[in-house]
C-alpha cells in the first residue's frame, strides 16, 4: 500500500488547480502530470493489483528498467497509413499545453504507452462481421496512464497524470486520485506466481501443420521463380486451459527466463491482454541518437556444450541464414537512409544467444536528421524484412493471401513515446493474446528460395515454445 503525506496531497491539489486555471484560460482540457520519488517497489506488483483495469507493463530486466501503467488519463486511437504521425502529433499537442511537475528524473516524465497493429487498418471481414479476437487492439492505441510506477537502478517514481477540464471540481478530482493511489499495491499480488503448478493446455494449430508446410513449399517456389526475395510466413496456435491463464505469473516467468528481452503486456479492462518477451528492438531514440537492430537467421540451442557450439558455428556460415540476415540489414539501412546521417552497420553479424535459440544479430546506430521524429522512424521501419519480407509490398501481398488469420498486434511495434521526443519500440514477437482460458500464440519464419518446410516448421515450434511454456507454468 502507498501512503500519502499531507505535503503530497497539497502538491497534487495545487498542481491540479494550476492546470484547471490553464485549461480555463485556453478553453480546452490540459494534461496535468505530477511525479514523485517513492520507496522501491516492483512495478509488476502494481500491474498485478490492477486486475480488471486498463494496464500496461514494460520491462528490460538486464537494463534495470521497468514500469507499470494503470488506468487511462488520455487515449489516442488512429487508423490509416498516417497512424504513426497522427498518434505522435496528438501526443505533441497534449504536451504543448501540459503542466508537468516533479519530473526531475527522465524516468518520471509522462509517457504515451501502447502499440500498433501489423496492418494500418482492420482486415476486411464478411458482413455481418464476426467478433474478432483482436477487439480492443486497433491499428493504433496508445494511452497516458493515470498512474505509472517506474523502477530503475537509480530509484523509483510514481507519476500521476490526468486530463483536467476547464470546469472540473479540482478538490473532488484530487480526492479521487489520492484514493485510487492507495490501492495501487497489493502486497500479496505476486505470491506464488513464479511457483505455480504446470497446467494442462490443449493446443490447436492454425493452419494445421501439413497445410502450413505446403504453403512454405509454394512460397519458396515463388521466391525461386524470382517473384520476390523473402517472405515471413507466420502460423498461429490456439491454446485452451480449464481455468483462466495467469497473466501476471506468465510475465513473472518470462522476465526470469529471458532477462535480455523486452517483456511487455497491454491489458484491456475487458480482460484481454497482449503480452510477450521479444528479443527484437524496432527502434530507440535518445535525443538524436537512433538505435535499431537486424535480427534474422536462427538455430536451436544444443543439448550439450559441444552440440551448442557446433550449431552456433553452423549458423554463422549457413548460406540461407546469412542471405536472409543480409536482406534485413539492407532493408534497415535503406529505411534509415532517408531520415538519418552517420549510419553505422557492422559488416559481420554477431550472435545473439537466448535460452532456446541462437540468432544472427546486427546492431545499427545512426543520427536522426533535424525535423525528423520517432514517428517517421516507425513509419519507415515497420514492417521490417525480418517480419514481412522483401520487397515489402510483394511480401505483404503473399502474407495476406497465405495466412488464414489476422496478425493483429503480433510482429508490430509496442512501446512508448517520451515527453522529450524520445522513445522506444520493440517488435512484438514471442507473443500471445490471452483472454481468460484461451490464448493465441504466433510465430513466423523467414522463407527463402531454399527453405525446407520441415525445417521451417521446426523453427516455428521452437519460437512458440517460450510463450507456451510460460503460459503452462513449465
Amino acid at each position: 500500500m502507498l501512503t500519502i503525506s499531507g505535503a503530497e496531497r497539497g502538491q497534487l491539489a495545487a498542481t491540479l488547480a494550476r492546470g484547471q486555471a490553464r485549461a480555463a484560460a485556453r478553453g480546452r482540457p490540459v494534461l496535468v502530470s505530477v511525479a514523485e520519488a517513492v520507496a522501491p517497489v516492483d512495478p509488476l506488483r502494481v500491474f498485478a493489483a490492477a486486475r480488471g483495469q486498463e494496464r500496461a507493463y514494460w520491462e528490460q530486466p538486464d537494463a534495470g528498467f521497468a514500469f507499470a501503467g494503470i488506468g487511462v488519463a488520455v487515449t489516442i486511437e488512429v487508423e490509416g497509413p498516417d497512424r504513426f504521425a497522427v498518434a505522435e502529433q496528438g501526443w505533441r499537442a497534449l504536451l504543448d499545453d501540459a503542466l508537468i511537475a516533479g519530473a526531475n528524473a527522465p524516468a518520471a516524465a509522462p509517457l504515451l504507452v501502447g502499440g500498433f497493429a501489423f496492418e494500418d487498418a482492420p482486415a476486411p471481414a464478411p458482413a455481418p462481421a464476426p467478433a474478432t479476437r483482436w477487439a480492443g487492439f486497433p491499428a493504433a492505441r496508445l494511452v497516458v496512464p493515470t498512474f505509472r510506477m517506474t523502477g530503475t537502478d537509480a530509484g523509483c517514481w510514481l507519476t500521476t497524470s490526468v486530463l483536467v477540464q476547464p470546469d472540473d471540481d479540482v478538490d473532488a478530482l484530487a480526492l479521487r486520485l489520492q484514493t485510487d493511489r492507495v490501492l495501487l499495491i497489493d502486497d500479496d499480488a505476486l505470491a506464488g506466481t513464479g511457483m505455480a503448478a504446470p497446467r494442462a493446455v490443449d493446443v490447436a494449430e492454425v493452419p494445421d501443420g501439413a497445410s502450413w508446410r505446403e504453403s512454405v513449399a509454394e512460397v519458396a517456389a515463388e521466391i525461386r521463380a524470382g517473384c520476390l526475395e523473402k517472405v515471413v510466413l507466420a502460423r498461429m496456435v490456439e491454446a485452451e486451459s480449464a481455468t483462466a491463464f495467469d497473466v501476471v505469473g506468465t510475465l513473472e516467468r518470462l522476465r526470469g527466463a529471458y532477462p535480455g528481452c523486452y517483456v511487455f503486456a497491454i491489458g484491456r479492462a475487458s480482460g484481454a491482454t497482449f503480452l510477450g518477451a521479444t528479443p527484437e528492438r524496432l527502434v530507440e531514440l535518445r535525443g538524436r541518437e537512433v538505435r535499431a537492430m537486424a535480427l534474422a537467421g536462427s538455430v536451436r540451442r544444443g543439448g550439450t556444450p559441444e552440440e551448442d557450439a557446433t550449431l552456433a558455428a553452423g549458423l554463422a556460415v549457413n548460406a540461407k541464414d546469412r542471405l536472409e540476415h543480409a536482406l534485413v540489414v539492407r532493408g534497415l539501412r535503406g529505411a534509415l537512409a532517408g531520415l538519418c546521417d552517420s549510419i553505422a552497420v557492422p559488416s559481420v553479424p554477431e550472435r545473439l544467444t537466448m535460452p532456446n535459440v541462437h540468432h544472427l544479430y546486427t546492431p545499427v546506430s545512426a543520427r536522426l536528421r533535424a525535423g525528423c521524429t520517432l514517428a517517421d522512424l516507425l513509419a519507415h521501419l515497420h514492417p521490417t524484412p525480418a517480419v514481412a519480407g522483401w520487397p515489402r509490398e510483394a511480401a505483404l501481398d503473399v502474407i495476406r493471401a497465405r495466412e488464414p488469420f489476422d496478425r493483429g498486434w503480433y510482429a508490430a511495434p509496442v512501446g512508448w513515446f517520451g515527453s522529450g521526443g524520445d522513445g522506444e519500440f520493440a517488435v512484438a514477437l514471442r507473443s500471445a493474446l490471452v483472454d481468460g482460458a484461451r490464448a493465441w500464440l504466433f510465430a513466423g519464419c523467414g522463407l527463402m528460395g531454399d527453405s525446407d518446410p520441415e525445417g521451417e516448421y521446426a523453427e516455428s515450434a521452437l519460437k512458440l515454445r517460450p510463450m507456451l511454456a510460460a503460459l503452462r507454468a513449465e
Side-chain angles (χ1 to χ4, degrees), residues 259-423:
C261 288
Y262 296 91
V263 180
F264 66 88
I266 305 293
R268 300 304 312 273
S270 65
T273 302
F274 181 58
L275 75 164
T278 177
E280 186 168 351
R281 174 193 298 118
L282 179 62
V283 65
E284 177 187 12
L285 180 63
R286 293 285 187 275
R288 309 309 296 172
E289 299 304 313
V290 177
R291 295 175 64 205
M293 65 187 296
L295 192 72
S298 58
V299 69
R300 66 178 177 87
R301 297 293 303 273
T304 66
E306 294 77 16
E307 182 189 27
D308 195 51
T310 299
L311 289 169
L315 175 65
V317 298
N318 181 277
K320 182 262 186 186
D321 289 307
R322 288 296 295 266
L323 177 57
E324 179 188 352
H325 188 84
L327 286 174
V328 176
V329 172
R330 187 174 75 190
L332 189 61
R333 187 197 295 269
L336 292 175
L339 303 171
C340 299
D341 298 313
S342 306
I343 302 173
V345 183
S347 58
V348 178
E350 303 174 15
R351 186 175 74 245
L352 180 65
T353 296
M354 308 300 294
N356 67 323
V357 66
H358 297 292
H359 291 292
L360 290 179
Y361 157 71
T362 296
V364 177
S365 61
R367 185 166 183 82
L368 190 65
R369 292 175 189 153
C372 299
T373 70
L374 178 55
D376 295 324
L377 291 166
L378 291 171
H380 279 69
L381 290 170
H382 174 75
T384 71
V387 296
W390 191 261
R392 178 188 288 181
E393 291 305 320
L396 289 173
D397 287 342
V398 173
I399 289 169
R400 293 169 186 137
R402 294 281 184 179
E403 291 182 1
F405 55 85
D406 182 357
R407 285 194 179 190
W409 282 28
Y410 163 68
V414 293
W416 51 272
F417 289 97
S419 58
D422 58 334

Side-chain angles (χ1 to χ4, degrees), residues 2 14 38 47 79 91 93 102 117 154 174 194 215 219 234 283 317 333 365 379 390 401 408:
L2 284 176
V38 296
F47 180 90
E79 287 187 3
W91 176 227
S215 290
V219 172
V283 65
V317 298
R333 187 197 295 269
S365 61
W390 191 261

Side-chain angles (χ1 to χ4, degrees), residues 70 209 250 344 435:
I70 308 301
T250 299
D435 194 354

Side-chain angles (χ1 to χ4, degrees), residues 90-397:
W91 176 227
R92 302 317 308 174
L94 276 173
L95 292 172
D96 285 344
D97 288 336
L99 180 58
I100 300 173
N104 298 321
L111 301 179
L112 184 68
V113 181
F116 300 84
F118 188 80
E119 299 274 15
D120 58 23
T132 172
R133 67 180 63 90
W134 289 106
F137 295 87
R141 187 176 193 275
L142 302 107
V143 307
V144 180
T146 303
F147 299 104
R148 195 183 82 249
M149 184 69 73
T150 305
T152 72
D153 291 338
C156 191
W157 291 268
L158 175 65
T159 305
T160 302
S161 299
V162 63
L163 194 64
V164 177
Q165 305 289 337
D167 57 352
D168 269 342
D169 181 336
V170 173
D171 291 335
L173 183 58
L175 179 61
R176 175 175 63 80
L177 291 171
Q178 291 162 356
T179 302
D180 290 347
R181 170 185 156 157
V182 171
L183 304 176
L184 277 179
I185 296 178
D186 177 356
D187 290 334
D188 297 322
L190 298 185
T193 54
M195 301 297 292
R199 66 169 66 218
V201 175
D202 294 325
V203 174
E205 300 178 316
V206 181
D208 63 82
S211 297
W212 193 81
R213 286 189 284 264
E214 183 178 346
S215 290
V216 169
E218 292 170 351
V219 172
E222 291 182 44
I223 295 172
R224 290 195 299 272
C227 301
L228 66 174
E229 295 183 68
K230 174 185 175 180
V231 175
V232 179
L233 196 65
R235 67 187 186 97
M236 178 180 76
V237 299
E238 181 176 353
E240 190 165 357
S241 177
T243 58
F245 288 107
D246 179 5
V247 168
V248 175
T250 299
L251 291 170
E252 176 80 356
R253 290 183 283 275
L254 287 173
R255 71 176 183 175
Y258 301 94
C261 288
Y262 296 91
V263 180
F264 66 88
I266 305 293
R268 300 304 312 273
S270 65
T273 302
F274 181 58
L275 75 164
T278 177
E280 186 168 351
R281 174 193 298 118
L282 179 62
V283 65
E284 177 187 12
L285 180 63
R286 293 285 187 275
R288 309 309 296 172
E289 299 304 313
V290 177
R291 295 175 64 205
M293 65 187 296
L295 192 72
S298 58
V299 69
R300 66 178 177 87
R301 297 293 303 273
T304 66
E306 294 77 16
E307 182 189 27
D308 195 51
T310 299
L311 289 169
L315 175 65
V317 298
N318 181 277
K320 182 262 186 186
D321 289 307
R322 288 296 295 266
L323 177 57
E324 179 188 352
H325 188 84
L327 286 174
V328 176
V329 172
R330 187 174 75 190
L332 189 61
R333 187 197 295 269
L336 292 175
L339 303 171
C340 299
D341 298 313
S342 306
I343 302 173
V345 183
S347 58
V348 178
E350 303 174 15
R351 186 175 74 245
L352 180 65
T353 296
M354 308 300 294
N356 67 323
V357 66
H358 297 292
H359 291 292
L360 290 179
Y361 157 71
T362 296
V364 177
S365 61
R367 185 166 183 82
L368 190 65
R369 292 175 189 153
C372 299
T373 70
L374 178 55
D376 295 324
L377 291 166
L378 291 171
H380 279 69
L381 290 170
H382 174 75
T384 71
V387 296
W390 191 261
R392 178 188 288 181
E393 291 305 320
L396 289 173
D397 287 342

